[in-house]
Amino acid sequence: MEREVAPVAGHDARPQRSDWQRNHEQLVAVAATLIDRDGAQVSLEKIAREAGVGSATLHRHFPSRRALLEEVFRAVVERFRLRADELAADDPRTGLVTWLEELTLSAADSRGLTAALEAAADGEPPAADSCHGMVREATVMLLDRARAVGAVRPEVSPDDLLALGTAVSLATEGDPAAARRLLRLAIDGVRP
Amino acid sequence: MEREVAPVAGHDARPQRSDWQRNHEQLVAVAATLIDRDGAQVSLEKIAREAGVGSATLHRHFPSRRALLEEVFRAVVERFRLRADELAADDPRTGLVTWLEELTLSAADSRGLTAALEAAADGEPPAADSCHGMVREATVMLLDRARAVGAVRPEVSPDDLLALGTAVSLATEGDPAAARRLLRLAIDGVRP
DNA sequence: AGACGAAATGGGGTCCCACCCCGTTTACTG
DNA sequence: CAGTAAACGGGGTGGGACCCCATTTCGTCT
């Protein structure tokens, strides 16, 4: 799964040097480990040190913390995309709710996924290959289905749902039970 | 309103020296200004510098950033407490909703209030004189009234509502329109 | 008024971090 | 097997949190 790494060239150009790829993978792997152990605000210096590269190299590979998070969580997000396809076979209503819940719980406990998904805040056109972009597409798909059977209010947008998930996971980081409770509350509404 | 400052002694002891009080007030005032201008993560050094005291003094007065935020927002929170009393005269349902909305909007745009209210996360027994404690009490009161007339689901707790407000304001900092939209969504629920 | 002791201060120190410069090393290419 | 562009990394800069301790200031007691 990691042996074969596509060149990922900007749009053509020549592929990166082998040491570049090695360091890149090493950095992502170490970052994943440390984020899991120490949270998403581990110092970048520490990641570089642990990966055995200079801090300059890390900064050259990832211009911002978020760029690194994006790569670290790409695999997770990819699995979510597949999960969305599974859920599309379910009842549209429970499919959407399950999707939102799994997404939110995952974000609330792997501190950092939330940040990776939050890219929207930077006003970028949600690139289809970014974490945010991928999740957004899946949400659009599931929401459309739920809407078609009248399972959600018509004025609810995909971005509303994502914002809701983000909000809940931000507020309940590290407490899955609270995350689940809060999300259900928001889905059901405060009023009876 | 600031001339007369109560000693605020721990429980007895002698009152603080005048220079202590002067610096304390100065620090809170400067912090309020800078937080308003630069957001709640202004460097504490900057606040100390601007206030004309050494950074050691700031740290002696406020052992943590949150301790400083607590004092900065105490006045705001006090006004909210009064507002709660006004809203208690309203229809219980709209009273509660208005309360939550005003609280959330305020938190979402004065970056920092949210953090001051978040004290709950530290598992402290919510002291009645902390920002969190005061707001919580008001919420309990308004929620009880709304519950009495069946305007909210019985399983919704005051802490649920506060968590909801916190979540929304965290996720929509600096964007009041988004905060309002998201909160309304959560109150009404995703389903029709 | 004057002096004494406790309270409070702040300059400077330590440690850590993000980010960058530039001389050196390394991998590919012909 | 050279030549060259790509990539590297040690070390520098600037800043922030938090702390130590010699010094100043305040309040009090005579």
Side-chain angles (χ1 to χ4, degrees):
Chain A
M1 195 193 259
E2 65 282 281
R3 183 95 305 188
E4 196 64 28
V5 180
V8 177
H11 52 308
D12 66 329
R14 72 196 73 175
Q16 278 93 352
R17 268 166 48 166
S18 62
D19 52 349
W20 191 96
Q21 288 202 356
R22 220 180 324 111
N23 284 335
H24 202 79
E25 286 162 27
Q26 176 69 0
L27 280 169
V28 172
V30 168
T33 305
L34 293 190
I35 287 172
D36 185 56
R37 202 188 64 194
D38 302 340
Q41 329 75 343
V42 240
S43 93
L44 301 179
E45 301 284 330
K46 192 174 292 181
I47 293 173
R49 227 177 299 132
E50 191 83 6
V53 306
S55 64
T57 296
L58 185 151
H59 285 285
R60 227 176 284 116
H61 279 250
F62 306 100
S64 69
R65 181 179 294 270
R66 179 166 297 156
L68 177 55
L69 293 180
E70 279 270 331
E71 286 228 15
V72 168
F73 286 105
R74 180 146 298 158
V76 175
V77 168
E78 188 59 41
R79 262 189 279 117
F80 266 110
R81 220 186 45 70
L82 298 177
R83 180 74 177 125
D85 291 340
E86 282 175 42
L87 291 172
D90 274 19
D91 164 60
R93 190 173 63 82
T94 58
L96 180 63
V97 170
T98 304
W99 165 252
L100 249 193
E101 188 168 303
E102 291 181 4
L103 192 58
T104 304
L105 284 176
S106 176
D109 102 336
S110 71
R111 318 173 63 88
L113 214 199
T114 313
L117 294 177
E118 241 182 349
D122 291 7
E124 309 162 22
D129 63 338
S130 69
C131 287
H132 179 73
M134 286 197 268
V135 169
R136 187 170 190 283
E137 277 179 22
T139 304
V140 167
M141 184 265 285
L142 290 167
L143 175 57
D144 279 349
R145 291 171 43 86
R147 199 183 262 155
V149 300
V152 298
R153 301 174 179 275
E155 74 271 24
V156 172
S157 75
D159 293 321
D160 286 336
L161 294 183
L162 290 174
L164 201 56
T166 302
V168 170
S169 64
L170 275 179
T172 61
E173 262 189 352
D175 185 348
R180 166 177 267 121
R181 177 176 176 84
L182 201 54
L183 186 66
R184 284 199 187 284
L185 169 60
I187 288 174
D188 293 340
V190 170
R191 315 194 229 252
Chain B
M1 192 195 263
E2 64 283 281
R3 183 96 306 190
E4 195 65 28
V5 179
V8 176
H11 51 308
D12 66 331
R14 73 199 68 175
Q16 278 93 353
R17 269 166 46 166
S18 62
D19 52 348
W20 191 95
Q21 289 203 355
R22 218 177 329 109
N23 284 335
H24 202 79
E25 289 162 25
Q26 176 69 1
L27 280 169
V28 172
V30 167
T33 305
L34 292 191
I35 286 172
D36 185 56
R37 204 189 61 193
D38 302 340
Q41 330 73 341
V42 240
S43 95
L44 300 179
E45 301 284 329
K46 193 175 290 181
I47 293 173
R49 228 177 298 133
E50 191 82 6
V53 305
S55 64
T57 297
L58 184 149
H59 285 284
R60 227 175 284 115
H61 280 249
F62 306 99
S64 69
R65 182 179 294 270
R66 179 168 295 158
L68 177 55
L69 293 180
E70 278 270 331
E71 287 229 16
V72 167
F73 287 105
R74 181 146 296 159
V76 174
V77 169
E78 188 60 41
R79 262 188 280 118
F80 266 109
R81 221 187 42 71
L82 299 177
R83 181 72 176 127
D85 291 340
E86 282 177 40
L87 291 172
D90 274 20
D91 163 59
R93 191 174 62 81
T94 58
L96 180 64
V97 170
T98 305
W99 164 253
L100 250 193
E101 188 167 305
E102 290 181 3
L103 192 58
T104 303
L105 284 176
S106 177
D109 103 335
S110 71
R111 315 174 64 89
L113 214 199
T114 312
L117 293 176
E118 242 181 349
D122 291 6
E124 309 162 22
D129 64 336
S130 69
C131 287
H132 180 74
M134 286 197 270
V135 168
R136 188 172 189 285
E137 277 179 23
T139 304
V140 168
M141 186 266 288
L142 289 167
L143 175 58
D144 279 348
R145 292 171 42 86
R147 200 183 261 157
V149 301
V152 297
R153 299 174 180 276
E155 73 272 22
V156 172
S157 76
D159 293 322
D160 286 336
L161 294 183
L162 291 173
L164 202 56
T166 301
V168 170
S169 64
L170 275 179
T172 60
E173 263 189 351
D175 185 348
R180 165 177 268 120
R181 177 177 177 83
L182 200 54
L183 185 66
R184 284 198 187 284
L185 169 59
I187 289 175
D188 293 341
V190 169
R191 314 193 231 250

